[in-house]
Amino acid sequence: MMSEMRSFFTQHPVGKGIMAFGGTVVLTSVVVTGVIVGLRQLGALEGAELDAYDQLVRSRPESVPSDRVLVVGISEKDIRNYNQFPITDATLATLLKKLAEYQPRAIGIDIGRDVPIGEGREDLIQVIEQNDNMVAACVMSSATEPGTPPAPGTPPERVGFADMQLDQDQVIRRTALVSFPPFVEPLPKNPHLCQDPDSLLYSLPFRLATSYLEQEGIEEELTTPEEFIKLDSTIFLPLEDQSGNYSYTGAFDYQIMINWSGENAIEQVTLTDVLEDNIAPNLVKDRVVLVGYTASTANDDFATPFSAAAQDRVLMPGVVLHAQVVSQIMSTVLEGRPLIWYWSQGTEILWIFLWSVVGGTLAWKIRRPWILIPVAVVAGGVLYGISYTLFVQQSGWIPLVPPAIGLALTTFSVVIIDRYGQVVAKTVKKLLRINIEIDETQKEEQVAQITETDSFQEIQIRADQLRRRRQITKPKTYNNTVTDQVDLNWEEVPELGQYQQVLQRARVLRHQLNRVEDQRDEVEEVDHSTNGSSGTMPTVKKQAFNPEDESYLSQLQSRGRRMRNR
């Protein structure tokens, strides 16, 4: 079986083609894939992959503004109108009272209010305590910052952290649903809720979304045994160290990717609009309302995937960003909108390898560069089309940059190896000054010197004699081996290595010829003694045969007669 397979791959045209394809295309694809995977593990491709992700986000069609979320932004115009920055406790309390009258399902306060600002502190505390649908934001402490406690009068179950998860390029692409303050030494004497490392905190968007869903009869659950967050039938899988196109997320808490609805998918009104009753009640009723600064003066803006679309770096206010996450959670649970999903590491490696093989196959089949280049570009377009379609329609985040690199690099490598391999090898030899080629002229001179020696001439003469003898008569069984071994084309000795084989075979011939001549002499001696004497049995050499063995003597006599008649 093994010999048949070996014969198929070494002699059959199809087998030879498979071996050539595997040795060039497949092997090159494996090497290229290994290099790309290694670069991904080192994080060398993370920036390019995240840029491609941002491009996919921006290429999505703009969504219709959500009818479940509203942002009340404090703009630059509001700051000038009321001549307040930050706004006072009294103004904030008045705003919250106005919004509560419209009966929203939840109100999120994305404004730090750990210290009194102006007048109205007691009014603010009273409003928050009287409305159990209000959720106040805090900022968790860190190794360098003490954090910001929530607004006064807010119970722990209505506190949500407003911390953002920044990537290395300072862009927001993911959010944390659940987290806890880091352990910092020394601990403060009276830590607030968002300083205590033993506190398990929900994010502000997650608090608001679950408050809305509770009124739909949907409670938060945990799966077993993984303990993943589950809302109705939706399971929110957390990011791992290497998820999607991240080489390392650093996600120590419960994070998910933000599935952006669009840059303008959140409806907004201003502080002045609410205080002056310039909004329709249905913009607030049964919605989640978030209050926060949209003015750049507040320095609460963040870069998002939409930021790179404009020439100037356009930033998104933190309150709008939180509203995006709230809208994502509710639309996922209530409408079945998919979360951002991604493949396992093994599947992503196979995907990269597949496109490397595609590039190598194109280079293997298409010999003309002016055809190969457009076809390779079309293949790259197909790759982008698959990635775009999966992302837009199914929120699937699959590798785009690594397989594109594999496609291009394998195409180039196979062209070089298949078309210009010998040229490259010679160039490398010259650069390294290594001459490993055989000098044909020198080889012919050495062969000529060997063939002109007396020993080689003697071998040729004996071979000619044996060849002529074989042509005169058909050899017997005992010298079939001799004639088979000398049936050589001695006039074709092109290489030095074959001469060594000739010498070895000549030694065998010489030994067997000696045996034949010895047996011939013994036969003639026996025959002469038998015919010329008075019948007395002659004495034969003991090493040749045993005189007492008559059967052997008869055979030897018959052989002598046959040889004498030749």
Side-chain angles (χ1 to χ4, degrees):
M1 183 67 179
M2 294 299 296
S3 60
E4 293 178 356
M5 293 181 62
R6 188 181 301 107
S7 175
F8 173 77
F9 285 112
T10 56
Q11 299 180 7
H12 197 278
V14 176
K16 289 182 178 180
I18 294 174
M19 291 297 293
F21 179 84
T24 302
V25 176
V26 177
L27 183 60
T28 304
S29 300
V30 170
V31 173
V32 169
T33 301
V35 171
I36 294 175
V37 172
L39 292 175
R40 291 190 84 200
Q41 295 295 324
L42 295 175
L45 302 180
E46 183 174 298
E49 293 191 74
L50 293 179
D51 288 343
Y53 172 80
D54 294 345
Q55 174 61 40
L56 291 174
V57 171
R58 293 192 298 270
S59 62
R60 276 177 164 179
E62 189 71 24
S63 300
V64 177
S66 173
D67 59 355
R68 300 188 183 98
V69 182
L70 177 70
V71 168
V72 178
I74 303 172
S75 64
E76 295 286 355
K77 184 178 179 180
D78 295 327
I79 293 174
R80 291 194 300 268
N81 289 342
Y82 293 91
N83 196 24
Q84 297 177 10
F85 182 76
I87 63 172
T88 64
D89 290 348
T91 303
L92 180 57
T94 302
L95 173 64
L96 295 178
K97 289 178 182 178
K98 283 275 189 181
L99 292 173
E101 293 174 358
Y102 293 111
Q103 300 179 348
R105 291 199 181 184
I107 300 175
I109 307 170
D110 188 25
I111 298 175
R113 201 44 49 116
D114 53 322
V115 295
I117 305 295
E119 298 179 354
R121 187 69 169 179
E122 294 299 327
D123 290 342
L124 178 60
I125 295 175
Q126 184 179 9
V127 170
I128 294 176
E129 290 179 345
Q130 291 177 351
N131 293 274
D132 58 2
N133 63 343
M134 292 186 181
V135 179
C138 72
V139 177
M140 291 187 294
S141 60
S142 65
T144 57
E145 298 293 338
T148 303
T154 308
E157 65 272 11
R158 289 197 280 125
V159 174
F161 64 85
D163 299 67
M164 301 292 182
Q165 282 64 45
L166 294 171
D167 287 335
Q168 293 184 358
D169 56 358
Q170 304 302 304
V171 176
I172 301 293
R173 300 183 180 90
R174 47 198 168 116
T175 185
L177 301 182
V178 181
S179 188
F180 49 86
F183 181 82
V184 179
E185 290 185 342
L187 289 174
K189 293 182 180 180
N190 297 310
H192 58 79
L193 182 64
C194 297
Q195 279 183 322
D196 187 359
D198 294 330
S199 299
L200 187 64
L201 302 175
Y202 285 2
S203 68
L204 176 63
F206 191 64
R207 283 284 192 197
L208 295 171
T210 52
S211 296
Y212 184 98
L213 294 173
E214 284 175 359
Q215 299 182 43
E216 297 286 337
I218 299 173
E219 299 285 343
E220 175 197 352
E221 303 176 57
L222 292 178
T223 63
T224 54
E226 303 90 350
E227 293 189 347
F228 294 150
I229 295 175
K230 181 180 179 182
L231 293 171
D232 197 17
S233 61
T234 302
I235 298 177
F236 293 82
L237 299 177
L239 291 172
E240 300 177 354
D241 286 341
Q242 291 181 329
S243 296
N245 294 168
Y246 285 102
S247 61
Y248 178 70
T249 61
F252 64 90
D253 45 13
Y254 206 109
Q255 297 184 18
I256 63 171
M257 297 297 297
I258 299 177
N259 197 1
W260 303 92
S261 301
E263 190 174 8
N264 302 309
I266 303 299
E267 196 164 3
Q268 302 182 39
V269 296
T270 65
L271 171 67
T272 303
D273 293 333
V274 177
L275 295 182
E276 295 181 358
D277 297 325
N278 292 328
I279 61 171
N282 60 355
L283 285 178
V284 181
K285 185 177 176 59
D286 289 332
R287 292 197 185 195
V288 172
V289 180
L290 289 96
V291 178
Y293 286 99
T294 57
S296 58
T297 305
N299 196 26
D300 190 33
D301 298 329
F302 299 90
T304 67
F306 301 103
S307 301
Q311 295 180 353
D312 298 329
R313 188 173 174 84
V314 179
L315 304 180
M316 182 177 290
V319 64
V320 178
L321 199 153
H322 290 315
Q324 287 267 359
V325 178
V326 173
S327 177
Q328 170 187 346
I329 295 173
M330 292 192 298
S331 61
T332 299
V333 175
L334 298 176
E335 300 175 4
R337 184 189 181 201
L339 295 166
I340 298 292
W341 56 267
Y342 35 82
W343 286 334
S344 65
Q345 292 293 310
T347 306
E348 290 185 346
I349 293 174
L350 289 177
W351 181 248
I352 297 170
F353 174 72
L354 171 64
W355 283 98
S356 297
V357 172
V358 170
T361 304
L362 293 178
W364 177 264
K365 291 293 185 181
I366 303 175
R367 315 294 294 185
R368 296 178 176 83
W370 57 87
I371 299 178
L372 174 61
I373 294 175
V375 172
V377 171
V378 171
V382 172
L383 170 62
Y384 180 82
I386 295 173
S387 300
Y388 174 82
T389 302
L390 283 178
F391 189 80
V392 172
Q393 296 186 358
Q394 300 295 328
S395 298
W397 184 21
I398 66 174
L400 175 58
V401 174
I405 295 176
L407 173 68
L409 189 56
T410 308
T411 301
F412 176 78
S413 300
V414 170
V415 169
I416 295 298
I417 294 172
D418 187 41
R419 274 68 151 188
Y420 308 106
Q422 296 181 354
V423 176
V424 172
K426 291 181 180 179
T427 304
V428 172
K429 291 175 188 176
K430 290 180 180 179
L431 292 175
L432 299 178
R433 297 183 178 179
I434 297 176
N435 185 13
I436 59 175
E437 294 183 353
I438 299 175
D439 190 335
E440 295 294 336
T441 304
Q442 184 179 2
K443 183 184 72 174
E444 292 178 359
E445 292 178 356
Q446 293 177 351
V447 173
Q449 292 176 359
I450 295 172
T451 55
E452 291 175 358
T453 60
D454 295 339
S455 60
F456 190 85
Q457 296 295 331
E458 181 179 356
I459 292 173
Q460 283 187 320
I461 293 173
R462 291 186 179 182
D464 291 339
Q465 292 175 351
L466 290 173
R467 189 182 298 110
R468 286 194 298 271
R469 183 176 300 173
R470 184 180 182 183
Q471 292 175 355
I472 293 174
T473 181
K474 182 178 179 180
K476 301 302 178 182
T477 303
Y478 78 94
N479 55 11
N480 269 347
T481 304
V482 176
T483 56
D484 290 344
Q485 291 182 352
V486 301
D487 190 16
L488 302 172
N489 190 359
W490 295 93
E491 297 176 359
E492 297 180 0
V493 187
E495 295 182 6
L496 180 60
Q498 294 182 356
Y499 178 64
Q500 298 295 336
Q501 299 178 2
V502 172
L503 291 179
Q504 179 66 25
R505 295 183 181 181
R507 294 190 189 98
V508 175
L509 290 174
R510 185 182 296 113
H511 176 71
Q512 294 184 350
L513 284 173
N514 290 337
R515 289 182 57 191
V516 172
E517 290 175 357
D518 290 344
Q519 290 181 357
R520 183 190 294 271
D521 293 340
E522 292 170 0
V523 170
E524 289 178 352
E525 180 179 355
V526 170
D527 189 58
H528 176 72
S529 300
T530 303
N531 294 331
S533 64
S534 57
T536 303
M537 181 65 65
T539 301
V540 187
K541 297 179 182 180
K542 293 182 179 181
Q543 64 273 21
F545 64 95
N546 186 354
E548 296 178 359
D549 192 345
E550 296 180 358
S551 175
Y552 175 78
L553 180 60
S554 300
Q555 294 177 7
L556 195 60
Q557 287 175 343
S558 299
R559 185 185 302 172
R561 283 192 295 270
R562 286 195 301 271
M563 295 182 69
R564 196 168 50 250
N565 293 330
R566 290 180 179 177

